């Protein structure tokens, strides 16, 4: 969440330098460069000056790397404690050039930006506070530093700006349609959450992010689910999944939400079971097409029974009491509780495997990896079997579906025929040829439909009779 940060070291000294540079630009005469920003829906034009890169600070609150900060909990905690220190600023530099989905890898988009700056120079100015904190242009500053540049062009925000204003300006700049590099998915979710914490309505936030209100509610549900899973993944030693671990799962999480909403009002237990199973599959890095096989038919086909059971799961209570009311309400069904317990085990194991905490020994990591491997293999077999079953169902349904499409076309043909006759525009010869082709197709359909059916249904019986009549003519 957004918070008021302390002023960086030598803030007054740097503030004087900025004020002096701004005044020099104004007194120089001629055309001055300005950059336009938006605050509360109103444009604001600010002066652009050159400032030494060595004196600029990366913004610890930038939305660009909000989720990625969780990559290293120890360095993130140090960043909270001393955002302007050398180690904290180095961590921010590391995250700005890292891949959003996996900070251990370098981001190709960062290298593209660096190469562009090397070839063409800095086209667009950044934005800086009067204390030298970058509001916009953090990534550009990181790239310029790697290129060995000494200065950067920046627009200077008014002295009256609060941290709330700074975050609002950065968000408004990011949400411009012509912005070249989007926030990562989780960082967009965090930005929406931050706006909601400021008291803004879902309609206002959805408008700013250029999405529908129902999409905003979907995104909030997804972030809430991620936070719940991260908390459930925490082991006794405190290791847990991080926000950054869910980057790249955007489409799979959205499809999960759509399935959950569809089923929740009909069968809450089924919705909860499928939610847990899909989340486990997403965490195990199954593809979108694989995860789709985990649906109502997955449960009907008994594929859930092929998945591992949680070890040492306690017996589930039949009911739970409501504190203060003395009421007993039904507990989650045993199927929901068992599935949740299985997912909890996978969550905790994945948290250990992905953790870099030195307190976790090799034996603990090896044991966690075994849990993940067993789950991976079990899900792989169950999903593969569900896929085969789905393909078989599709083949069974393909012929009836095609016939239904043909019926719709014939119904439309009847309407077209009436209109053509009323306007006397029917090509009767061409129409007759088409009917002959229809007859031939029906003859072939009858030959196949009647095979191996000792007692055909009403439709097939009619078709066979029609063909038989045609053959006696």
């Amino acid at each position: 969440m957004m918070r008021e940060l302390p002023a960086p070291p030598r803030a007054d000294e740097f503030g004087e330098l900025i004020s002096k540079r701004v005044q020099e630009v104004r007194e120089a005469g001629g055309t001055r460069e300005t950059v336009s920003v938006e605050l509360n829906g109103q444009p604001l034009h600010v002066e652009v000056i050159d400032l030494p890169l060595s004196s600029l600070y990366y913004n610890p609150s930038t939305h660009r790397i909000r989720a990625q900060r969780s990559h290293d909990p120890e360095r993130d905690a140090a960043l909270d404690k001393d955002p302007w220190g050398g180690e904290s600023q180095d961590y921010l530099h590391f995250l700005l050039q890292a891949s959003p989905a996996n900070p251990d890898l370098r981001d190709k988009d960062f290298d593209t930006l660096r190469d562009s700056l090397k070839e063409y120079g800095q086209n667009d100015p950044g934005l800086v506070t009067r204390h030298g904190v970058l509001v916009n242009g953090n990534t550009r500053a990181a790239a310029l530093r790697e290129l060995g540049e000494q200065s950067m062009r920046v627009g200077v925000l008014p002295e009256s700006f609060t941290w709330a204003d700074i975050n609002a300006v950065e968000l408004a700049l990011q949400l411009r349609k012509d912005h070249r590099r989007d926030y990562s998915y989780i960082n967009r979710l965090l930005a929406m959450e931050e706006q909601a914490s400021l008291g803004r309505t879902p309609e206002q936030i959805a408008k700013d992010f250029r999405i529908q209100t129902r999409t905003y509610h979907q995104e909030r549900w997804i972030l809430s689910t991620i936070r719940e899973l991260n908390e459930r993944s925490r082991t006794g030693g405190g290791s847990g999944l991080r926000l950054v671990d869910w980057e790249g799962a955007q489409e799979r999480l959205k499809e999960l939400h759509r399935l959950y909403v569809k089923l929740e009002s009909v069968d809450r237990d089924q919705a909860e079971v499928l939610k847990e199973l899909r989340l486990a599959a997403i965490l195990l890095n199954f593809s979108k097409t694989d995860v789709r096989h985990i649906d109502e038919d997955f449960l009907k086909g008994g594929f859930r029974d092929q998945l591992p059971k949680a070890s040492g799961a306690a017996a589930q209570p039949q009911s739970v009491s409501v504190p203060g009311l003395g009421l007993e309400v039904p507990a989650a069904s045993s199927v929901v509780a068992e599935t949740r317990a299985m997912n909890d085990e996978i969550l905790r194991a994945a948290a250990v495997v992905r953790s870099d905490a030195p307190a976790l020994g090799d034996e603990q990591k090896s044991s966690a990896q075994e849990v993940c491997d067993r789950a991976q293999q079990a899900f792989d077999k169950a999903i593969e079997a569900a896929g085969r079953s789905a393909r078989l169902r599709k083949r069974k349904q393909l012929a009836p579906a095609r016939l239904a499409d043909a019926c719709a076309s014939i119904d439309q043909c009847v309407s077209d025929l009436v209109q053509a006759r009323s306007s006397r525009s029917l090509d009767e010869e061409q129409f007759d040829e088409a009917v002959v082709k229809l007859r031939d197709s029906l003859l072939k359909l009858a030959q196949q439909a009647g095979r191996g059916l000792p007692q055909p249904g009403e439709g097939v019986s009619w078709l066979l009779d029609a063909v038989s009549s045609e053959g006696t003519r």
Side-chain angles (χ1 to χ4, degrees):
M1 288 293 171
M2 180 188 63
R3 64 188 181 89
E4 198 78 17
L5 294 174
R10 301 170 60 193
D12 292 339
E13 177 185 337
F14 201 59
E16 290 180 8
L17 171 63
I18 291 175
S19 297
K20 181 180 179 181
R21 295 266 174 107
V22 169
Q23 190 63 32
E24 288 174 350
V25 167
R26 290 174 178 172
E27 292 175 352
T31 303
R32 302 199 305 267
E33 182 182 8
T34 62
V35 61
S36 177
V37 298
E38 185 177 302
L39 181 65
N40 300 325
Q42 300 298 319
L44 178 67
H45 305 286
V46 299
E47 306 282 354
V48 174
I49 61 174
D50 270 344
L51 285 177
L53 274 166
S54 59
S55 300
L56 296 176
Y57 291 98
Y58 296 126
N59 181 8
S61 296
T62 178
H63 296 92
R64 173 145 336 265
I65 54 172
R66 192 73 60 87
Q68 285 67 35
R69 284 183 49 171
S70 65
H71 171 67
D72 187 329
E74 290 188 9
R75 297 180 77 178
D76 186 34
L79 181 57
D80 273 335
K81 186 176 180 180
D82 180 17
W84 315 117
E87 290 186 4
S88 295
Q89 289 289 303
D90 287 344
Y91 185 45
L92 290 174
H93 179 89
F94 163 75
L95 294 176
L96 286 166
Q97 55 82 40
S99 167
N102 183 3
D104 286 326
L105 302 177
R106 190 174 173 90
D107 188 7
K108 293 180 180 178
D109 288 341
F110 178 83
D111 287 334
T112 300
L113 171 64
R114 184 199 59 192
D115 293 344
S116 175
L117 288 169
K118 181 178 181 180
E119 185 171 359
Y120 303 109
Q122 182 189 356
N123 293 324
D124 302 317
L127 274 179
V128 72
T129 70
R130 291 279 173 162
H131 292 157
V133 179
L134 286 160
V135 176
N136 187 42
N138 283 270
T139 312
R140 272 171 286 169
L144 288 169
R145 280 173 170 161
E146 287 203 0
L147 292 171
E149 298 293 333
Q150 300 300 309
S151 65
M152 179 178 180
R153 287 172 31 252
V154 290
V156 181
L157 294 174
E159 290 184 72
S160 60
F161 264 42
T162 64
W163 276 105
D165 295 331
I166 290 168
N167 280 278
V169 165
E170 186 208 2
L171 190 60
L173 284 168
Q174 174 58 39
L175 295 178
R176 283 181 178 176
K177 289 184 179 180
D178 61 348
H179 207 279
R180 295 178 182 175
R181 190 183 177 203
D182 291 335
Y183 289 150
S184 69
Y185 178 59
I186 303 299
N187 285 326
R188 280 180 63 86
L189 300 187
L190 293 173
M192 291 182 201
E193 180 185 58
E194 180 182 280
Q195 292 298 298
S197 72
L198 297 175
R200 307 193 68 216
T201 67
E203 292 75 19
Q204 290 172 325
I205 299 172
K207 182 179 179 182
D208 283 349
F209 280 80
R210 297 181 176 87
I211 58 176
Q212 296 182 343
T213 304
R214 69 170 180 268
T215 303
Y216 164 80
H217 289 298
Q218 179 189 64
E219 305 288 43
R220 295 303 309 276
W221 182 90
I222 289 173
L223 181 59
S224 175
T225 299
I226 289 173
R227 289 194 184 282
E228 178 200 342
L229 293 169
N230 287 358
E231 190 60 35
R232 285 166 54 186
S233 72
R234 298 200 179 281
T235 63
S239 298
L241 291 170
R242 308 153 300 181
L243 290 172
V244 70
D245 290 321
W246 299 96
E247 290 282 14
Q250 175 177 351
E251 292 304 319
R252 288 170 290 172
L253 290 169
K254 285 177 177 288
E255 289 190 0
L256 165 61
H257 177 262
R258 288 193 288 270
L259 177 67
Y260 185 84
V261 169
K262 183 182 81 169
L263 297 178
E264 184 185 21
S265 59
V266 179
D267 188 336
R268 179 66 182 269
D269 281 358
Q270 185 185 53
E272 288 293 330
V273 168
L274 289 174
K275 172 186 171 184
E276 294 293 335
L277 292 177
R278 281 205 174 194
L279 287 169
I282 291 171
L283 187 61
L284 293 168
N285 290 323
F286 281 91
S287 68
K288 181 167 62 175
T289 51
D290 284 339
V291 173
R292 283 175 183 163
H293 288 309
I294 303 176
D295 56 11
E296 302 97 312
D297 293 319
F298 188 87
L299 300 183
K300 293 175 185 175
F303 300 111
R304 188 188 75 88
D305 297 334
Q306 301 180 28
L307 301 177
K309 301 293 187 291
S311 60
Q316 299 299 320
Q318 297 298 310
S319 62
V320 293
S321 61
V322 180
L325 297 180
L327 297 177
E328 293 284 329
V329 297
S333 75
S334 59
V335 176
V336 174
E338 289 170 7
T339 309
R340 183 182 175 93
M342 177 206 69
N343 196 15
D344 282 346
E345 197 163 276
I346 294 173
L347 287 165
R348 290 191 291 268
V352 171
V353 169
R354 300 183 185 196
S355 174
D356 294 326
L360 297 173
D362 292 339
E363 184 176 347
Q364 189 175 358
K365 284 208 168 191
S366 177
S367 177
Q369 186 64 60
E370 287 181 10
V371 172
C372 291
D373 290 343
R374 284 198 304 270
Q376 181 89 29
Q377 293 169 8
F379 267 87
D380 195 31
K381 291 180 180 178
I383 289 173
E384 184 179 356
R388 288 196 301 269
S389 177
R391 289 191 293 273
L392 179 60
R393 286 196 308 273
K394 187 175 182 180
R395 284 198 296 269
K396 288 180 177 179
Q397 297 165 359
L398 193 58
R402 289 191 184 280
L403 200 54
D405 290 341
C407 290
S409 296
I410 291 175
D411 290 342
Q412 182 62 46
C413 177
V414 172
S415 176
D416 295 341
L417 180 61
V418 171
Q419 292 181 14
R421 284 195 183 280
S422 63
S423 62
R424 297 182 179 180
S425 59
L426 178 66
D427 187 332
E428 294 185 2
E429 183 177 349
Q430 189 174 1
F431 180 74
D432 188 70
E433 290 176 359
V435 173
V436 170
K437 289 182 179 179
L438 174 62
R439 180 196 63 189
D440 294 340
S441 296
L442 288 174
L443 287 170
K444 285 188 275 188
L445 178 63
Q447 290 173 357
Q448 297 300 324
R451 287 184 176 180
L453 291 178
Q455 294 180 326
E458 180 184 353
V460 175
S461 295
W462 170 87
L463 180 60
L464 294 175
D465 289 343
V467 169
S468 178
S469 300
E470 175 66 24
T472 60
R473 292 178 61 181

